[in-house]
Amino acid sequence: FCPTRCAYCSFVSNSVEKSFHLVEPYLEALLAEVDSAAELVRELGLRIKSFYMGGGTPTTLTAEQMDRLLGRLNDKFDMSHTVEYTVEAGRPDTITAEKLAALRRNGVTRVSINPQSMDDRVLAAIGRRHTADDIRRAMELVAAADFPHVNMDLIAGLPEDSPEGFRRSLDEVIALGADDITVHTLSLKKGSRITLEGTRLPAVEEVAAMLDYADGTLRGAGFAPYYLYRQKYMSGSFENVGWCRPGGVGWYNIYIMEELHSILSLGAGGSTKMVDSARQRIERVFTSSTPRSISSGRRRSGRTSGPSGPSMRTAANEPSGRKETRPMAYSLKEINDAVRSDPKGFVEECDAAYARKIESAARRIADNRSCSRIVLLSGPSGSGKTTTAKKIEARLEEMGIRSHAIS
């Protein structure tokens, strides 16, 4: 949930004004997921190295709701090995002294304040309802709460911005005292309002000037780059770079990218990544991307990948009690062998593969659509096309996209 949806955003997020009635049932569902995930972590003997609560904007919750959620996490999970405990407080119009006190009381060591710009014209252009002064006041509250670490984000290439405006924003963010600053380049997500409305943006040369200024200025202020990543459709094909002062590394930023740590994700749109180093495999599990589905108990679907390609579960148990994985059968002989050796597992894998294709199709439609309604046409051949179209229609409806399947 967020106060408003930013013009550049395509993440799983709902305006709290339009979906306020979902917050409490969603929170209750999330608390139940915390309980079951903690039990799984205990069974697998995993240790929590870092905790990151992102969004949306987690601080749209009230102080009482935040206390309830973080209190349940601390009660159910062993946090004694945790090196950092981070909560995004990205929108200054959601930050209060009471909420910050709840974060500190529950052990939070790092907060993220994400202005994206310190220029009021740019903030208005991207759909923010707060001003640069609100950001300054929020940082005063954060300083008074005495958090050990503070992250701040800026985006180069936003509408209405200029190299001069970006320079002023960066200079002020450094002066506000953050020890971790990420400089993003605007990524033109297909589902974002900026892309759909064809908003005018700074030229590539202007974005390059912004990033060049950031490099020299941050180094001069004692920051060093410690992580970098790129996304599709980035302005000028540039990159996102995380900078920190000595001792200010945000460990979660490294853990999420290096493909060596398992990431257990809870909540709408979550992507869990379980790393099996012994087999050189990574298994990902995706959570439904709408709060309404989470609140009604929508289950997850999974995908396994690794050196041997797609895989299926077999009945052969390891000493740990977990099932082995082997490459998914493709030839008729392999299919027959799979049916004989583990018919239930084979059917389950086929069902899961079909569910993944439905999810993939719906997401491709959502990412590429240029109109408000979608019509799905299928032919009457008895091969299952209409059934598939109806399933895609239902998934699009869950994502808030109007659609209709016609045979």
Side-chain angles (χ1 to χ4, degrees), residues 57-222:
T57 307
T59 42
T60 52
L61 296 177
T62 66
E64 184 276 330
Q65 289 171 329
M66 188 70 75
D67 242 335
R68 200 175 354 141
L69 176 55
L70 295 182
R72 181 73 69 88
L73 280 159
N74 291 331
D75 181 54
K76 296 295 183 178
F77 286 93
D78 177 7
M79 295 291 198
S80 60
H81 301 285
T82 304
V83 297
E84 70 175 13
Y85 199 137
T86 305
V87 172
E88 277 192 18
R91 301 284 282 268
D93 42 341
T94 68
I95 297 173
T96 65
E98 292 75 21
K99 292 179 185 181
L100 294 177
L103 299 184
R104 290 298 283 137
R105 186 163 55 247
N106 284 282
V108 173
T109 59
R110 181 186 292 267
V111 290
S112 296
I113 312 296
N114 305 324
Q116 316 307 0
S117 173
M118 296 297 290
D119 186 317
D120 286 345
R121 292 182 309 108
V122 177
L123 292 173
I126 63 175
R128 295 284 185 102
R129 290 186 181 173
H130 64 80
T131 66
D133 278 341
D134 293 325
I135 299 166
R136 297 177 188 110
R137 283 191 287 270
M139 285 298 288
E140 289 176 1
L141 292 174
V142 168
D146 197 29
F147 286 91
H149 301 286
V150 180
N151 301 349
M152 296 188 82
D153 287 3
L154 291 176
I155 299 178
L158 289 173
E160 299 297 330
D161 209 356
S162 64
E164 295 75 20
F166 180 85
R167 290 168 192 159
R168 289 192 294 270
S169 293
L170 180 62
D171 291 345
E172 183 162 7
V173 163
I174 293 172
L176 286 171
D179 64 348
D180 185 309
I181 297 174
T182 299
V183 178
H184 297 272
T185 302
L186 178 65
S187 178
L188 300 174
K189 303 294 180 63
K190 292 181 179 179
S192 69
R193 185 158 54 84
I194 283 179
T195 302
L196 295 175
E197 295 179 357
T199 306
R200 191 185 71 82
L201 300 170
V204 170
E205 295 78 12
E206 293 179 294
V207 178
M210 297 175 191
L211 298 176
D212 286 346
Y213 180 78
D215 186 285
T217 302
L218 286 163
R219 290 181 192 276

Side-chain angles (χ1 to χ4, degrees), residues 45-58:
L46 300 176
R47 293 191 303 174
I48 308 298
K49 291 292 290 181
S50 70
F51 171 82
Y52 190 97
M53 184 177 177
T57 307

Side-chain angles (χ1 to χ4, degrees), residues 179-337:
D179 64 348
D180 185 309
I181 297 174
T182 299
V183 178
H184 297 272
T185 302
L186 178 65
S187 178
L188 300 174
K189 303 294 180 63
K190 292 181 179 179
S192 69
R193 185 158 54 84
I194 283 179
T195 302
L196 295 175
E197 295 179 357
T199 306
R200 191 185 71 82
L201 300 170
V204 170
E205 295 78 12
E206 293 179 294
V207 178
M210 297 175 191
L211 298 176
D212 286 346
Y213 180 78
D215 186 285
T217 302
L218 286 163
R219 290 181 192 276
F223 287 80
Y226 75 99
Y227 77 96
L228 176 151
Y229 68 101
R230 304 183 75 185
Q231 297 167 280
K232 292 192 294 184
Y233 315 119
M234 293 184 77
S235 179
S237 295
F238 294 119
E239 61 280 318
N240 304 322
V241 182
W243 300 78
C244 70
R245 286 186 163 129
V249 167
W251 288 105
Y252 177 78
N253 292 328
I254 295 176
Y255 295 155
I256 192 69
M257 294 182 194
E258 67 180 357
E259 306 283 80
L260 298 176
H261 278 70
S262 293
I263 306 291
L264 178 62
S265 181
L266 313 181
S271 175
T272 286
K273 176 174 66 179
M274 301 304 288
V275 178
D276 186 341
S277 56
R279 295 181 186 164
Q280 296 185 327
R281 302 188 65 80
I282 294 175
E283 183 166 349
R284 301 178 191 273
V285 184
F286 303 98
T287 309
S288 175
S289 59
T290 62
R292 190 181 302 278
S293 296
I294 297 295
S295 301
S296 61
R298 183 78 59 186
R299 292 199 175 270
R300 298 178 171 199
S301 62
R303 180 181 70 201
T304 304
S305 61
S308 56
S311 66
M312 64 174 290
R313 296 295 179 184
T314 70
N317 289 328
E318 297 176 298
S320 63
R322 291 178 298 174
K323 291 184 177 181
E324 282 186 359
T325 57
R326 62 178 173 80
M328 178 67 181
Y330 290 108
S331 72
L332 182 59
K333 179 181 183 303
E334 289 173 324
I335 291 173
N336 287 335
D337 290 343

